[in-house]
Amino acid sequence: MGWGNARLNGAAAVCAVQLPAIGLIWWIRILLGDDYAYAGAYGFLSVFVLACLLVVAPLILPVLGLAHAMAQIVPAEALARLVVRRARGPLWAWHVLCAAGLGVVWAGLAGLLWHWPFTVTAPLLAALGVLPVLGLGWLRRRTRGFWGVWLPSLFASVGLFLLVFLGGVLATTTGIVEEYEPPALSAEQLTGVWRGDEGAVLSLGTDGRAELTDLPSESGSADRSAEPPFAVCDGTGTWLLDDKGAHDPYAHDPYGDGPEGRAGVVVRLDGECGQETYWRIGGTESEPELFVPFGDPDAPELRILTQG
């Protein structure tokens, strides 16, 4: 069976069914992740973006559904037809397997280009190919026009969205999914080399000494709107672990974590470049981060260091 306009329309519709629910899962994941010390602005922005997406969803979902179909579902069927010529089994089953396999291939490409975690991306992209193939099998047994395809897609999409929403609410209220908590790192765990964008390097020694290269540091300027809102420094200094957040300048900020602040690393430079800088601890136990939101708390410029 070829891919005429009617069948491509059906493929786009069944692919579009799962996209709003996926967007909601992504949004929930962001809200439950690290807010990087400016939760107020971050939360409002994410809610605003979600509201805008819901408004324009009827316009963009057909386009995104067609793009997904052309990238995964259509080529997967071509592969399935080649396999069926040499192997036993129904075409739809091979179509499902090929769609899942193609999702794994796209995940590998995304990992190479954008460093997306393969172990997370591969199963997600593989799963994205299963529902559309099954949906196409359901549509193939029925003769439907444009609205006969897209109205069921709309109802199914809304139902799946509500199911994910209710599941997310239930999971958070019952404690199955917990809110983000930064890792509690010891001084030994913090010791080592931390790297950031544009060649920034912070080396934390076991003796409390620090070496830094192209490292963003507090500029000491009272003008929070200055560009850039930090100084870039090289040299040496000292560091200490503040597990109570007593040195946290954002502790009493409306976008901070409260009066105790968050545990972090205090870096003091020996030279005249920059001021004492408080690097908050973020990330996870397995992939820790150090970060500073420089500048205006309403629109901070975030700098992140990762270990290794």
Side-chain angles (χ1 to χ4, degrees), residues 46-101:
S46 62
V47 171
F48 177 76
V49 171
L50 179 64
C52 292
L53 289 176
L54 291 177
V55 171
V56 301
L59 299 177
I60 64 174
L61 280 180
V63 177
L64 294 177
L66 180 60
H68 179 207
M70 297 300 295
Q72 188 171 6
I73 308 307
V74 174
E77 187 185 62
L79 291 174
R81 290 187 179 278
L82 292 176
V83 173
V84 166
R85 295 176 184 175
R86 298 171 175 81
R88 296 181 178 180
L91 176 63
W92 69 268
W94 285 111
H95 194 181
V96 169
L97 291 175
C98 289

Side-chain angles (χ1 to χ4, degrees), residues 28 32 167-178:
I28 292 174
L32 294 177
V169 171
L170 182 63
T172 52
T173 54
T174 57
I176 297 176
V177 176
E178 298 180 353

Side-chain angles (χ1 to χ4, degrees), residues 36-308:
Y36 291 110
Y38 48 102
Y42 189 73
F44 173 79
L45 178 63
S46 62
V47 171
F48 177 76
V49 171
L50 179 64
C52 292
L53 289 176
L54 291 177
V55 171
V56 301
L59 299 177
I60 64 174
L61 280 180
V63 177
L64 294 177
L66 180 60
H68 179 207
M70 297 300 295
Q72 188 171 6
I73 308 307
V74 174
E77 187 185 62
L79 291 174
R81 290 187 179 278
L82 292 176
V83 173
V84 166
R85 295 176 184 175
R86 298 171 175 81
R88 296 181 178 180
L91 176 63
W92 69 268
W94 285 111
H95 194 181
V96 169
L97 291 175
C98 289
L102 196 56
V104 174
V105 172
W106 284 121
L109 183 61
L112 291 175
L113 296 178
W114 304 299
H115 305 290
W116 291 6
F118 180 79
T119 55
V120 175
T121 309
L124 288 177
L125 294 185
L128 287 182
V130 175
L131 181 60
V133 173
L134 298 179
L136 274 176
W138 180 78
L139 287 176
R140 190 178 293 116
R141 296 190 295 270
R142 293 160 175 78
T143 302
R144 297 174 177 268
F146 179 86
W147 292 111
V149 169
W150 280 100
L151 281 179
S153 174
L154 173 63
F155 294 140
S157 179
V158 171
L160 189 59
F161 182 90
L162 292 176
L163 183 64
V164 171
F165 178 79
L166 293 175
V169 171
L170 182 63
T172 52
T173 54
T174 57
I176 297 176
V177 176
E178 298 180 353
E179 294 186 8
Y180 173 79
E181 288 289 340
L185 302 180
S186 65
E188 290 76 16
Q189 290 173 302
L190 289 166
T191 299
V193 178
W194 298 78
R195 303 182 187 276
D197 295 333
E198 301 179 2
V201 179
L202 173 62
S203 179
L204 304 179
T206 57
D207 56 355
R209 296 294 298 172
E211 296 181 3
L212 46 146
T213 303
D214 294 335
L215 187 72
S217 304
E218 295 286 358
S219 63
S221 172
D223 183 8
R224 286 190 165 187
S225 62
E227 290 294 336
F230 52 80
V232 179
C233 300
D234 297 288
T236 60
T238 61
W239 73 278
L240 62 89
L241 168 62
D242 179 4
D243 56 4
K244 301 296 183 183
H247 292 80
D248 188 352
Y250 288 87
H252 300 282
D253 192 276
Y255 303 113
D257 292 326
E260 293 185 357
R262 183 192 286 197
V265 174
V266 181
V267 178
R268 299 187 178 102
L269 286 73
D270 292 333
E272 297 181 356
C273 178
Q275 305 291 321
E276 175 181 297
T277 304
Y278 190 79
W279 289 88
R280 287 177 157 220
I281 296 175
T284 62
E285 292 282 352
S286 59
E287 297 182 358
E289 297 175 344
L290 298 177
F291 70 90
V292 180
F294 291 102
D296 186 352
D298 292 325
E301 189 164 337
L302 192 68
R303 286 295 180 267
I304 300 176
L305 304 177
T306 56
Q307 199 169 33

